[in-house]
Amino acid sequence: MDKVIVSGLLIIASITAAVMTISIIVPGLGSNSASIVRTNRIASDFASTGLNGLTAEAVGENGVTISAWLKNVGSVDVEPISAIDVFLLTGNRLGGRYIPFSNGPTATDSWVVVQPADSNVWARGETLQIRLDLDPINPISPGPYMVSLKTPNGVSTDISFEYAQTPLPTPPPTPTPMPTATPTPTPTPMPTATPTPMPTATPTPAPRVAFVRKWGTMGSGDGEFRSPNGIAVASDGSVYVADTNNHRIQKFTSVGGFVRNWGTYGSGDGEFSQPYDIAVASNGSVYVTDSQNNRIQKFTAEGGFVNKWGTVGSGDGEFSQPYDIAVASDGSVYVSDSNNHRIQKFTAEGGFISKWGTQGFGDGEFYLPNGVAVASDGSVYVSEKNIHRIKKFDSGSVFVRKWGYQGSDGGQFSYPNSVAVASDGSVYVADYRIQKFTSEGVFVSQWGTIGAGDGQFNNPNGIAAASDGSIYVSDSSNHRIQQFSMGP
C-alpha cells in the first residue's frame, strides 16, 4: 500500500499588483481605449482567479498514476480546462516534467479530466479532479513531489505529496544444512610481484567562469525590468533586452549603461504584447518576437520601426506564440513557432523561405520548441524545454543529432529555456543554471545555482554570447541582467 502524505498550497493572485501594473502601462497608450479595456480585462481575470490545491496522491503501487483535486475559489470560470499547463515536479523543484493534456489514454505522459465530466469549463466554486498517467517506462520513485498547475491566464498553484512504496514482506528462507567438507591443506603462498603503476593523464581543467557585473531591479524605470527574457549582443557590444512584462525593448552599453528604450503595450507598429526574444543582425537591425501579437517586428539599431510580419495561424508565415528568434550570418531569420511545433525561416525582410517540424518526439519533430540559435556555419540549435533536450540541424534543416534528458547532472536538463552559440562554436544552454557544450553536444562545464546572489539565477530565460567571450544572462525572476567572462 502506498503511504501518501498530502499538503495543499494556495496561491491567489493579488489584485493590487495587477492594478499597479496597469497604472504603469496604460499612460503610454494615449487614446487607444480598446487596448485599455483589453488590458483591464486581462488584469481583472487574473486577479479574480483563485485556486485551492486540495490534495494529491499516487494511486497503486507502480508509480504511474497520480490523482489531484483542486477547487476554483475565484470569481471567474477557468476555461478551457484543456489549456491548463500541468507539471509534475520533484519536491525541491530542481527536476520535473511537463505533462500534456490528452482526451484519452496514450503511451506517454498525459493528464485527463476526471471531473467535471463532459465539460471544458471549470466553473466557480467547482472541484476539479485530474489524473496523471505516466509513461510505464518512466514511473516516479519514492520521494516528495508536487503537482503544479497554471491556468490559461497565468495563475498557478502547487499540491505537494509524498510517494512511498510499501514492500511486500519476504518470508525468511528455510535454512539448508551445509555439507561438511574434508579439510584441505593450506597451500604455500606464491611470491607476489610488485605491480607497475599505470601512467596517469593530467586532467584538463574546466574553463573558469568569473562573475563580472549585474544590473537591473524590478520596476518600470530606465534600466529596471519586469521579467526580462530575450537578450542579444550587437557587433559593437550593445546589449538589447526584451523587457517582457513592461512591453518594451531596452538598449544598454556592454557594461550595462542605459542607452534608450522603446515600445509600450499595444498592437500597433512599435508596440508590444509581451515581447519574448530579440536578435540583432550583423548590420545592426533588431528583430523582436512579439509573442502575444503573434508577429515579428523589425527595427533599426536605435529603435526605429522598419516592418512587421505574421498573424495568428498555422500557415506559412503565421505563428502561434513565437518565442525565440535568431539571425544567421547571411541575414536569414529563424523563429521558434512554439505552439505550431515547428521552426520557420525568413528573409531579412520577412519573406517566408521554409519551415520544418511537426508535433512529435522523433528526430526532426518538435514538442513546443523554445530556444533557437544559429552558428556561424549555419547549424541551427533548438531547445525543447518540456522534454529536456537540445537538437542540432544543418543549414538545410536536416537533423544532425540530439542530446540531453531530464536531470540535474552535467549534460542533463531541467526545462532548458534558451540556447546560444559563441563565435568559437561553443553552445550555451540555460535551464536553472548555465551549461556549456561543444558544437557536438559534449558537456564541458556548468555554473550557477538557484538564488539571488552574484552568479545565482532564478529562471534564467535568455542567454547571449558576445564576440569578446562575455556571456550575458537575463535572470528573469530576479529582474536583472548578469554578465560573465569565460577564462581559459
Side-chain angles (χ1 to χ4, degrees), residues 240 246-251 260-264 270-272 278 286 288 299-305:
Y240 294 83
N246 277 327
H247 309 283
R248 67 183 181 182
I249 302 301
Q250 295 201 64
K251 179 180 179 179
R260 63 176 46 84
N261 60 45
W262 72 89
T264 186
E271 297 178 334
F272 303 105
I278 190 165
V286 178
V288 180
F299 301 88
T300 67
E302 306 310 314
F305 175 80

Side-chain angles (χ1 to χ4, degrees), residues 62-402:
N62 53 9
V64 297
T65 305
I66 300 162
S67 290
W69 291 260
L70 307 95
K71 188 171 184 179
N72 182 352
V73 296
S75 58
V76 297
D77 296 341
V78 175
E79 58 178 315
I81 295 176
S82 57
I84 294 174
D85 286 329
V86 176
F87 300 87
L88 178 61
L89 308 177
T90 56
N92 58 9
R93 301 185 71 92
L94 293 182
R97 46 180 140 161
Y98 174 77
I99 311 296
F101 173 78
S102 174
N103 285 317
T106 66
T108 58
D109 295 345
S110 64
W111 68 272
V112 298
V113 178
V114 178
Q115 67 176 60
D118 303 322
S119 175
N120 206 17
V121 178
W122 184 8
R124 289 162 285 179
E126 192 172 55
T127 296
L128 171 71
Q129 180 186 357
I130 65 172
R131 187 183 72 244
L132 282 63
D133 297 314
L134 307 183
D135 188 332
I137 67 172
N138 192 19
I140 57 173
S141 302
Y145 292 89
M146 292 182 183
V147 175
S148 180
L149 277 78
K150 184 177 181 181
T151 66
N153 65 337
V155 177
S156 302
T157 190
D158 298 333
I159 313 171
S160 298
F161 71 98
E162 185 165 330
Y163 174 56
Q165 289 178 317
T166 303
L168 296 174
T170 303
T174 303
T176 302
M178 296 294 292
T180 302
T182 303
T184 302
T186 302
T188 303
M190 296 291 293
T192 303
T194 303
T196 303
M198 296 294 291
T200 303
T202 303
T204 302
R208 293 194 301 270
V209 179
F211 170 82
V212 177
R213 63 177 55 86
K214 63 186 177 186
W215 70 89
T217 186
M218 185 176 181
S220 58
D222 295 343
E224 297 178 336
F225 304 103
R226 289 186 184 275
S227 303
N229 282 295
I231 188 167
V233 184
S235 57
D236 66 356
S238 299
V239 178
Y240 294 83
V241 180
D243 189 5
T244 301
N245 287 344
N246 277 327
H247 309 283
R248 67 183 181 182
I249 302 301
Q250 295 201 64
K251 179 180 179 179
F252 301 88
T253 67
S254 61
V255 295
F258 175 79
V259 177
R260 63 176 46 84
N261 60 45
W262 72 89
T264 186
Y265 179 81
S267 57
D269 295 346
E271 297 178 334
F272 303 105
S273 179
Q274 293 191 328
Y276 195 86
D277 195 28
I278 190 165
V280 184
S282 57
N283 66 359
S285 297
V286 178
Y287 296 85
V288 180
T289 53
D290 190 5
S291 66
Q292 298 306 305
N293 283 326
N294 292 290
R295 66 183 182 182
I296 306 302
Q297 294 197 66
K298 179 181 179 180
F299 301 88
T300 67
E302 306 310 314
F305 175 80
V306 177
N307 70 337
K308 64 187 177 185
W309 71 90
T311 185
V312 64
S314 58
D316 296 345
E318 296 178 336
F319 303 104
S320 181
Q321 286 202 325
Y323 277 137
D324 276 18
I325 189 167
V327 183
S329 56
D330 66 357
S332 301
V333 178
Y334 293 81
V335 180
S336 62
D337 188 9
S338 186
N339 285 357
N340 281 326
H341 310 281
R342 65 185 181 182
I343 302 298
Q344 294 199 67
K345 180 181 179 180
F346 302 89
T347 67
E349 301 307 317
F352 176 80
I353 297 176
S354 63
K355 64 186 177 186
W356 75 93
T358 55
Q359 182 174 356
F361 303 95
D363 299 342
E365 297 177 330
F366 299 110
Y367 185 75
L368 300 172
N370 287 77
V372 62
V374 185
S376 58
D377 65 356
S379 297
V380 179
Y381 297 84
V382 180
S383 66
E384 292 181 281
K385 176 178 179 178
N386 292 310
I387 53 178
H388 317 282
R389 68 181 177 188
I390 304 297
K391 284 181 177 176
K392 179 181 179 180
F393 301 85
D394 67 17
S395 58
S397 71
V398 176
F399 174 80
V400 177
R401 63 176 45 82
K402 61 188 175 185

Side-chain angles (χ1 to χ4, degrees), residues 420-463:
V421 185
S423 57
D424 65 356
S426 298
V427 178
Y428 294 86
V429 180
D431 52 5
Y432 65 89
R433 67 203 149 165
I434 306 300
Q435 296 191 69
K436 180 180 179 180
F437 300 86
T438 69
S439 60
E440 305 308 311
V442 178
F443 173 76
V444 177
S445 62
Q446 62 179 325
W447 75 91
T449 57
I450 296 174
D454 295 346
Q456 295 182 317
F457 305 106
N458 189 359
N459 289 326
N461 284 348
I463 186 169

